[in-house]
Amino acid sequence: MAYGETEKLARIKEFTEKVLQSDKTGHDMTHIERVLAMTQHILATEPTANAFVAQAAAILHDTYDDKLFEDVDLAKSRVIKLLTDIAVPAEQQVEIFNIIDNMSWSKQRFGEPAKLSLAGKIVQDADRLDAIGAIAIARAIQFGAIKGDALYDPTMPPRHITTKASYRKGDGNTVINHFYEKLFLLKDYLNTPEGQRIGIERDRIMHDFVNQFEKEWQQKDY
């Protein structure tokens, strides 16, 4: 059966819904839908980007994330089979996987990611923008609760993280520290003009929250 791009994206979304249906970490389909919507929004400002590749990568980007899956190779093989079954051309598959494999914060911050296409930069911005702002505050608390992190401990300062292993290690981490260790840094790593514009306001919202949180904790807001 021959699939047009609209039908392919629908099949890709159906696949992702099944893969992420039990997620409780904030990397569920509501996250995917927001990243996809932001990808489509930024695409409208970047008409030279490959829209199909960007949208496919946006939908699939958490389907074999090592934060979520113990057997990453098996999870990725299922994505490869899907794209092959719906006849996504090989060159598009290569670009989709290059985006997913190199768009993460840890890969850019601590590794040597391959150069992303414009489509990849758009998806990277869309994913990072979902980690900035009001929803991001709720997701950070949700993810910290799942991991068993403390909400805040003023005796535990934010860590100076230099490797992915130390970034993923839970020792010394709190939900509020996560803002200093990652979320406050994301604004300066956005690629596109539209992503950067949106990031400025969302970053301000997070700083306002953390500033107020720390004032209340220290009883300095009255």
Side-chain angles (χ1 to χ4, degrees):
M1 179 179 178
Y3 295 97
E5 290 187 347
T6 299
E7 291 79 9
K8 289 177 183 178
L9 290 171
R11 289 285 302 274
I12 289 169
K13 187 178 288 189
E14 289 173 4
F15 169 86
T16 301
E17 287 173 344
K18 293 178 181 177
V19 170
L20 300 179
Q21 61 183 341
S22 61
D23 180 81
K24 304 296 183 185
T25 70
H27 298 84
D28 56 11
M29 278 307 295
T30 63
H31 165 64
I32 297 299
E33 292 283 5
R34 289 191 302 272
V35 173
L36 176 60
M38 184 63 74
T39 295
Q40 292 167 337
H41 173 76
I42 299 176
L43 277 168
T45 71
E46 300 287 350
T48 63
N50 187 314
F52 173 78
V53 166
Q55 291 175 93
I59 298 168
L60 290 166
H61 77 275
D62 276 336
T63 55
Y64 60 92
D65 191 311
D66 63 2
K67 295 191 303 293
L68 309 177
F69 297 91
E70 291 186 7
D71 193 335
V72 173
D73 290 338
L74 176 60
K76 186 173 182 177
S77 71
R78 291 169 177 159
V79 180
I80 294 171
K81 182 178 185 304
L82 164 73
L83 296 181
T84 302
D85 287 348
I86 63 175
V88 173
E91 63 273 16
Q92 289 188 341
Q93 290 195 39
V94 168
E95 185 174 359
I96 290 168
F97 285 116
N98 185 65
I99 292 170
I100 297 171
D101 292 342
N102 292 284
M103 63 181 276
S104 72
W105 166 253
S106 59
K107 192 70 176 286
Q108 183 172 12
R109 182 74 170 167
F110 310 119
E112 296 182 359
K115 184 177 180 180
L116 290 175
S117 64
L118 178 56
K121 291 176 180 179
I122 290 169
V123 179
Q124 188 178 62
D125 277 7
D127 187 41
R128 288 180 178 173
L129 286 167
D130 206 49
I132 305 175
I135 291 177
I137 294 168
R139 291 180 70 219
I141 296 170
Q142 178 184 18
F143 191 60
I146 293 292
K147 290 172 59 185
D149 292 338
L151 181 61
Y152 181 55
D153 185 340
T155 68
M156 296 168 57
R159 301 167 296 170
H160 177 63
I161 301 173
T162 58
T163 66
K164 181 177 178 178
S166 60
Y167 170 62
R168 289 288 172 84
K169 190 176 181 181
D171 296 347
N173 193 32
T174 70
V175 171
I176 296 301
N177 280 356
H178 186 58
F179 287 87
Y180 292 99
E181 295 168 357
K182 175 183 177 181
L183 305 188
F184 287 162
L185 307 179
L186 292 176
K187 175 176 68 70
D188 294 331
Y189 284 83
L190 295 168
N191 304 292
T192 63
E194 183 64 2
Q196 292 165 358
R197 183 189 69 80
I198 296 168
I200 290 171
E201 175 62 14
R202 292 193 176 189
D203 181 72
R204 183 194 63 76
I205 289 168
M206 292 193 304
H207 276 85
D208 287 349
F209 166 77
V210 172
N211 288 339
Q212 182 64 22
F213 180 98
E214 291 176 346
K215 285 180 182 178
E216 292 181 18
W217 190 281
Q218 297 162 13
Q219 300 179 8
K220 292 182 178 180
D221 67 318
Y222 55 85

